[in-house]
Amino acid sequence: MSVRILALVGSLRAGSHNRQLAEAAVKLAPEGVDVQMYEGLAEIPFYNEDVDVEGTVPAAAVRLREAAASADAVLLFTPEYNGTIPAVLKNAIDWLSRPYGAAALGGKPAAVVGTAFGQYGGVWAQDEARKALGIAGAKVLEDVKLSIPSSVTRFAETHPSDDAEVVAQLTEVVASVHGQAGGQAA
């Protein structure tokens, strides 16, 4: 039985270091683990309860909810924008927190990792994302953390999948999420 981990990347930039980190996670996933990067966060409109009504939910939001519902766990890759979580990632969490009582994130193991330009690697954004995920109903894996500082210089000429330290740490993250999701897989 394969465990499916949905990867949500909080940067829309094609060359994003967090996107590269997610790509590395896809490559590093051990046998029996399928890390799937979600494409399409940019197409999801800002959450609006007026359109979150059966029959009128935007197709992009429906696709996101279906992807999360079919996953065994969620792994967020977030940069830090002005000391907090990017709007696109917060918006995804908002859509995944509903409908109330039947949220796609409900009880799913979720972890947050990332890289940022600053000296702390985006820990404020990661903390905010964990908080939002927990309130949205996910089972936040508080001990699964990876904050990589100085992304602009560290990954200027090196992809995260070619950085031995990052590979070791990210492999451990994916294994931890897999371990928590293994009991969730149906």
Side-chain angles (χ1 to χ4, degrees):
M1 168 182 4
S2 182
V3 170
R4 294 177 7 154
I5 300 172
L6 179 65
L8 301 178
V9 179
S11 175
L12 301 177
R13 192 170 62 84
S16 158
H17 296 122
N18 280 285
R19 173 170 288 285
Q20 292 175 359
L21 197 61
E23 291 167 354
V26 170
K27 288 182 194 176
L28 295 170
E31 188 172 333
V33 178
D34 182 20
V35 178
Q36 300 174 340
M37 279 182 50
Y38 186 81
E39 302 294 345
L41 289 184
E43 286 78 47
I44 301 168
F46 284 117
Y47 184 79
N48 179 343
E49 199 169 1
D50 290 341
V51 298
D52 190 10
V53 177
E54 192 171 334
T56 65
V57 177
V62 170
R63 283 191 299 277
L64 174 64
R65 285 178 173 168
E66 288 171 348
S70 68
D72 299 304
V74 179
L75 181 56
L76 275 60
F77 294 83
T78 187
E80 188 168 276
Y81 293 172
N82 299 312
T84 193
I85 184 173
V88 70
L89 204 49
K90 175 62 170 70
N91 189 50
I93 293 169
D94 290 345
W95 278 104
L96 293 174
S97 72
R98 305 291 176 107
Y100 184 75
L105 287 176
K108 282 196 194 297
V112 182
V113 299
T115 186
F117 177 69
Q119 66 180 337
Y120 301 112
V123 294
W124 290 346
Q126 290 181 32
D127 287 346
E128 291 292 321
R130 284 185 196 93
K131 177 178 133 185
L133 282 167
I135 292 169
K139 177 186 167 190
V140 179
L141 306 178
E142 295 287 350
D143 295 336
V144 179
K145 296 182 179 182
L146 175 58
S147 302
I148 305 167
S150 306
S151 61
V152 173
T153 54
R154 183 165 189 166
F155 302 125
E157 296 181 21
T158 303
H159 192 283
S161 62
D162 296 325
D163 181 314
E165 181 182 15
V166 171
V167 166
Q169 293 170 330
L170 192 55
T171 298
E172 188 175 315
V173 164
V174 172
S176 294
V177 174
H178 169 241
Q180 290 294 315
Q184 302 283 323

